[in-house]
Amino acid sequence: MRRYDLDWLRVFVFGLLILYHVGMFFVPWGWHIKNNVEYSWIRFPMLFVNQWRLPILFVISGMGTYYALNKRTPGQFSLERIRRLFLPLVVGMLLVVPPQVYVERIAEGQFNGSYFEFWPSQAFMGVYPEGNLSWHHLWFLPYLLLFSLALLPVFVSLRKHPDGSFLRWVKAIVSRRTGLFWFLIPLYLTESLVEPFFEITHALIGDWFAIANYSILFFFGFLLMTVQDTFWKTVTTNRRFYLYCAITGFTLYLGLIMSFEDSITVHFTEAFLKVFNLWSWILVLFGYAATYWNKSSRTLSYCNEAVYPFYILHQTVTIIAGFFIMDLNWGFLPKFLYLIATTFAGSWILYEFGIRRWKWIRPLFGLKTKKATSYLQTVGSVPQGK
């Protein structure tokens, strides 16, 4: 049975991604283009979101893999993953990402000329950041493709042995509210022992910490779906307990990084608080979403399909819009609201009129080739029997 709460969570988290990338324009962290004034206070809400935003996406993706294998053989699943992940990645690298690199080169004074003097003659020369070829924010797609194919034999084996000793043990620990914190062990070992030696690059090759960390979360998502009835009962029943854990974890984590200089003791403590915090928030989100969001609607149907193209398109729209205001003296709020509105509106226009209605374009952005109705037809029609 379809979990509508997972669909809502997916839409919600990808919506936060747009807000997060808009925030990157203002925060004093490195990004492709920056506002003429940076605001240090933005680090705190962004740090809060950043702890669990990507981890829960990989968990949800692992859960989606469980459902995808319900309807496909391993071979069909592999071909479907390549079609829905690799093809949009190639299209994105050819058409969607180059405008971002072009704007960055213009803003940094590294290129002078029109876009069509840059693309395609300069757009694919060398690998970013020294060169111009990049997948930028689309890095999520090759990682997800790698995990899907590499872990497929494990997933098939788990599905063939639903009553095996390992899954019986998983079901037993998941049934207890504190049992879900056993999942912290591999996350903590990776965070404390691997992360110090491998900076996250999103380049795939040599990005060992990201590969290890995100693949574990992806595997967790699939694993939790093998005992899903027990898991959903545990997180809904104990959602308030997990909320207290999450608030405590983030408070202690923030206090630690603000109060102490780095040392071996601080590192291992910080690693534990970090994974405890992110896993607690993931359990909170699953618990409350399962309680209040597990219901269908026509708005959800539209948004659930739109979220993938929005993810592909949004950062290009944000960077182009940001380029035109980066040196204006508007203040934070006007610029922030302008970028939010422009990003959502621009992405929606490109999706609704440039992608969704065209059967031959839809697969290029990871959508099925079915005939699409308009937005108003989708969310405004009345279901039969109502």
Side-chain angles (χ1 to χ4, degrees):
M1 185 172 63
R2 189 176 188 93
R3 298 287 314 192
Y4 296 107
D5 50 343
L6 294 182
D7 293 334
W8 278 117
L9 273 176
R10 182 169 169 264
V11 171
F12 169 71
V13 175
F14 273 114
L16 281 180
L17 177 65
I18 294 179
L19 297 177
Y20 185 85
H21 283 157
V22 169
M24 289 296 294
F25 181 71
F26 300 98
V27 75
W29 299 337
W31 203 53
H32 307 294
I33 63 170
K34 303 297 294 185
N35 188 43
N36 56 356
V37 178
E38 296 177 355
Y39 301 88
S40 60
W41 61 267
I42 304 177
R43 291 178 297 171
F44 299 108
M46 292 186 66
L47 181 63
F48 166 70
V49 172
N50 201 38
Q51 290 295 291
W52 48 263
R53 176 180 55 86
L54 284 172
I56 197 173
L57 278 179
F58 279 104
V59 176
I60 292 173
S61 298
M63 291 176 166
T65 300
Y66 177 88
Y67 287 111
L69 282 172
N70 279 340
K71 299 183 274 186
R72 299 171 180 86
T73 66
Q76 291 171 335
F77 172 80
S78 299
L79 291 175
E80 189 264 351
R81 291 294 89 184
I82 292 171
R83 181 181 64 83
R84 297 202 66 188
L85 295 173
F86 184 71
L87 180 58
L89 174 64
V90 172
V91 171
M93 292 178 67
L94 291 176
L95 301 177
V96 179
V97 173
Q100 300 180 34
V101 181
Y102 169 74
V103 169
E104 181 179 349
R105 299 303 183 216
I106 292 293
E108 297 293 332
Q110 298 169 340
F111 183 81
N112 292 309
S114 69
Y115 179 69
F116 290 104
E117 292 176 301
F118 176 81
W119 187 94
S121 61
Q122 303 290 321
F124 311 112
M125 293 181 60
V127 177
Y128 185 90
E130 290 79 15
N132 296 324
L133 178 64
S134 176
W135 50 45
H136 271 34
H137 67 295
L138 302 181
W139 66 267
F140 182 78
L141 303 183
Y143 284 67
L144 196 56
L145 179 61
L146 171 65
F147 303 156
S148 299
L149 300 181
L151 292 172
L152 183 57
V154 179
F155 294 159
V156 172
S157 178
L158 289 173
R159 291 187 64 84
K160 286 182 177 179
H161 304 92
D163 297 319
S165 58
F166 175 67
L167 289 183
R168 289 201 305 271
W169 174 76
V170 171
K171 187 173 183 179
I173 65 170
V174 168
S175 65
R176 302 190 299 270
R177 72 177 184 177
T178 57
L180 279 165
F181 289 111
W182 280 96
F183 288 78
L184 291 177
I185 294 176
L187 294 175
Y188 174 69
L189 293 175
T190 305
E191 184 71 36
S192 60
L193 301 178
V194 180
E195 189 274 340
F197 302 100
F198 298 99
E199 182 182 1
I200 293 180
T201 64
H202 295 154
L204 192 61
I205 298 174
D207 196 15
W208 297 115
F209 168 68
I211 291 173
N213 187 50
Y214 294 143
S215 63
I216 289 169
L217 291 160
F218 182 75
F219 175 73
F220 282 175
F222 187 94
L223 190 61
L224 291 172
M225 283 298 94
T226 64
V227 293
Q228 54 182 300
D229 291 341
T230 303
F231 170 70
W232 294 121
K233 180 180 179 181
T234 300
V235 292
T236 53
T237 302
N238 300 289
R239 60 188 185 276
R240 184 170 296 180
F241 168 74
Y242 297 134
L243 179 60
Y244 296 151
C245 290
I247 294 172
T248 301
F250 183 69
T251 302
L252 293 175
Y253 174 74
L254 195 61
L256 181 72
I257 63 175
M258 293 179 63
S259 303
F260 296 93
E261 296 183 0
D262 194 23
S263 67
I264 294 179
T265 302
V266 169
H267 166 72
F268 284 102
T269 305
E270 179 184 343
F272 173 76
L273 290 176
K274 182 176 180 181
V275 298
F276 177 80
N277 171 59
L278 73 87
W279 188 244
S280 296
W281 283 110
I282 288 173
L283 297 180
V284 169
L285 289 167
F286 281 138
Y288 280 92
T291 303
Y292 299 108
W293 284 0
N294 194 17
K295 58 188 73 173
S296 179
S297 74
R298 295 191 181 275
T299 298
L300 175 62
S301 178
Y302 182 88
C303 292
N304 195 42
E305 184 182 62
V307 69
Y308 193 5
F310 263 62
Y311 158 69
I312 294 172
L313 296 168
H314 79 277
Q315 184 165 289
T316 298
V317 179
T318 299
I319 288 177
I320 293 173
F323 175 75
F324 291 103
I325 65 168
M326 58 189 297
D327 293 320
L328 299 181
N329 295 320
W330 281 10
F332 168 75
L333 187 59
K335 286 187 176 183
F336 181 79
L337 294 177
Y338 164 81
L339 284 180
I340 292 294
T342 303
T343 300
F344 274 98
S347 300
W348 180 79
I349 290 170
L350 291 171
Y351 165 69
E352 179 64 28
F353 300 103
I355 297 172
R356 186 170 186 263
R357 301 166 186 247
W358 305 93
K359 293 176 67 174
W360 65 276
I361 293 181
R362 289 172 60 89
L364 303 182
F365 291 85
L367 303 180
K368 297 178 181 179
T369 56
K370 67 180 181 179
K371 183 178 179 181
T373 56
S374 70
Y375 169 73
L376 291 178
Q377 288 175 303
T378 300
V379 301
S381 56
V382 179
Q384 293 183 355
K386 298 290 184 181

